[in-house]
Amino acid sequence: MSVETDTGKSSAGARLLPGQTRRHWIFTAVVCILIGSAAVISVDAADASKDDTAESTVPAWVFPLNAAETSAPAPLDSDRPLHLANSDAAFTEAELHDLFSAPDWHPTSHSAMPPIVARGHAPDAYACGYCHSPSGQGRPENASLAGLPAAYILNQVTDFKSGLRKSAWHGSYLPSALMIRSVIHTTDEELSAAAEYFAAQVLRPRVRVVERERVPHSRIVGWVYVADQSGKMEPLGQRLLEFAPDAVRHENRDDEMRYTAYVPPGSISRGRQIANAGSDSPTNACTSCHGPQLRGVGPIPTIAGRSPTYILRQLLAFQTGARSGVDALPMRAVVKNLNINGMIDAAAYAASLPP
């Protein structure tokens, strides 16, 4: 199990390359123009909602949003190659921000990508592998698709197309907006090819779950938390915060980096109880549908070893009705009376299991 308990250690701040903030501005500005979305806002990790009722309230800390820049940056560098220590590949800054070309740092880790996964098609269908990674590993702000049943993936994109699946966040959330725009402009044949491809990939360990009372003070880079340079700590409280241990690798879309999810002490054991016994009855047990190790049964998806932030967002989406397709109906009944603390516990336990 990928679990650690630590109540006192500090975490070093992640180092950014010169121009990282500039790159955020360009990426956000370009995509906002494409989709007509509102400007994103900054949400500090300390500004946490402590709501623990079963009402349809979505805490802001579940959806870290990039800060909006106020000055125009220089163009992206299209000449200087950038590298990762774990790859022989190289990409320029401009290439790493091209939504129609999935940066493939580890081409031997997956089978041959269909064109829709590798490149998408301009001007509206972005490369599936850009956000979800060429091998389907995903990141905290979007889904890990590797190993999910193809039929399940197709059902979800159908719900995105029809409006039956949306983000639980009440404002603009760019990763979801990009997904919706892409699937609307993707053909059924392309969606089938992408679903079959991602279903055939293997999910690798992607997150460490750490129980801790205090966490590094943070800022937001690429819709995920990173430790700031202050070295200060703050109370975690009743939150689940998933950090990129290296902001540069996160920004450069390294699909071999493991994220760190901080959860309240005792979350994993409480989540195990929910998974095995249910929140209010055995019929609500996660294992009754997702299997004893939460690795899925038939068309029911595996949730073991996946991003706990992503799992938590989906639980909130079920509860708020943001996910209302046929596949969502059983889950809406399960989470109806589950408060945010129980959702954190269930997500922490599922993420702690090996994929």
Side-chain angles (χ1 to χ4, degrees):
M1 294 172 61
S2 180
V3 182
E4 295 183 10
T5 301
D6 186 339
T7 58
K9 295 180 181 178
S10 63
S11 176
R15 179 181 61 84
L16 281 179
L17 289 174
Q20 287 286 318
T21 301
R22 173 171 62 83
R23 291 167 57 189
H24 274 271
W25 194 97
I26 294 175
F27 179 72
T28 301
V30 169
V31 177
C32 284
I33 291 171
L34 286 172
I35 68 174
S37 64
V40 294
I41 60 174
S42 175
V43 178
D44 192 279
D47 296 332
S49 165
K50 299 301 177 64
D51 171 64
D52 66 349
T53 70
E55 297 177 359
S56 298
T57 301
V58 179
W61 51 262
V62 183
F63 286 87
L65 304 177
N66 286 5
E69 297 291 338
T70 57
S71 59
L76 294 168
D77 189 325
S78 59
D79 297 317
R80 183 170 68 92
L82 301 176
H83 302 269
L84 293 178
N86 60 1
S87 172
D88 293 330
F91 299 96
T92 66
E93 187 179 49
E95 289 172 330
L96 290 173
H97 286 76
D98 180 0
L99 276 67
F100 297 100
S101 180
D104 196 359
W105 292 106
H106 309 104
T108 61
S109 68
H110 57 83
S111 53
M113 289 184 283
I116 189 63
V117 175
R119 298 183 298 277
H121 56 76
D124 300 305
Y126 309 117
C128 304
Y130 184 87
C131 292
H132 298 286
S133 85
S135 60
Q137 303 306 304
R139 308 200 311 176
E141 77 273 17
N142 51 47
S144 297
L145 299 181
L148 291 179
Y152 175 79
I153 295 174
L154 285 173
N155 286 346
Q156 299 316 300
V157 295
T158 299
D159 285 352
F160 277 122
K161 273 191 172 185
S162 66
L164 292 175
R165 178 169 175 176
K166 302 181 291 292
S167 169
W169 182 241
H170 53 75
S172 174
Y173 186 61
L174 199 56
S176 295
L178 288 172
M179 180 66 188
I180 293 169
R181 182 180 179 89
S182 288
V183 298
I184 288 174
H185 295 91
T186 303
T187 68
D188 290 344
E189 292 76 14
E190 289 172 329
L191 291 175
S192 294
E196 293 291 343
Y197 169 78
F198 284 121
Q201 307 311 307
V202 177
L203 182 66
R204 301 187 294 271
R206 193 68 166 139
V207 61
R208 296 185 310 132
V209 180
V210 179
E211 295 185 346
R212 182 178 282 187
E213 293 178 350
R214 297 179 64 81
V215 298
H217 194 270
S218 63
R219 57 196 182 86
I220 296 164
V221 174
W223 295 278
V224 72
Y225 294 102
V226 298
D228 66 18
Q229 300 294 327
S230 70
K232 296 179 180 178
M233 305 290 285
E234 66 182 35
L236 176 63
Q238 289 303 123
R239 295 181 292 170
L240 185 163
L241 301 183
E242 195 161 351
F243 278 60
D246 187 320
V248 174
R249 291 177 67 188
H250 174 73
E251 276 288 78
N252 289 351
R253 316 194 78 81
D254 182 0
D255 62 358
E256 288 191 350
M257 185 179 71
R258 294 181 70 172
Y259 293 83
T260 301
Y262 295 112
V263 299
S267 291
I268 295 169
S269 62
R270 292 190 298 269
R272 184 183 297 110
Q273 175 68 17
I274 293 172
N276 290 297
S279 58
D280 52 18
S281 75
T283 60
N284 285 342
C286 307
T287 55
S288 65
C289 291
H290 292 279
Q293 297 299 314
L294 305 185
R295 294 184 182 174
V297 178
I300 299 173
T302 173
I303 54 177
R306 298 183 184 270
S307 164
T309 301
Y310 184 82
I311 294 172
L312 177 58
R313 288 173 184 154
Q314 302 321 303
L315 295 175
L316 287 165
F318 291 128
Q319 191 177 79
T320 61
R323 289 185 65 168
S324 55
V326 173
D327 286 352
L329 294 180
M331 282 301 304
R332 292 184 70 181
V334 168
V335 302
K336 180 179 179 181
N337 297 313
L338 192 63
N339 62 31
I340 188 68
N341 295 343
M343 293 184 193
I344 291 172
D345 295 341
Y349 172 66
S352 75
L353 297 174

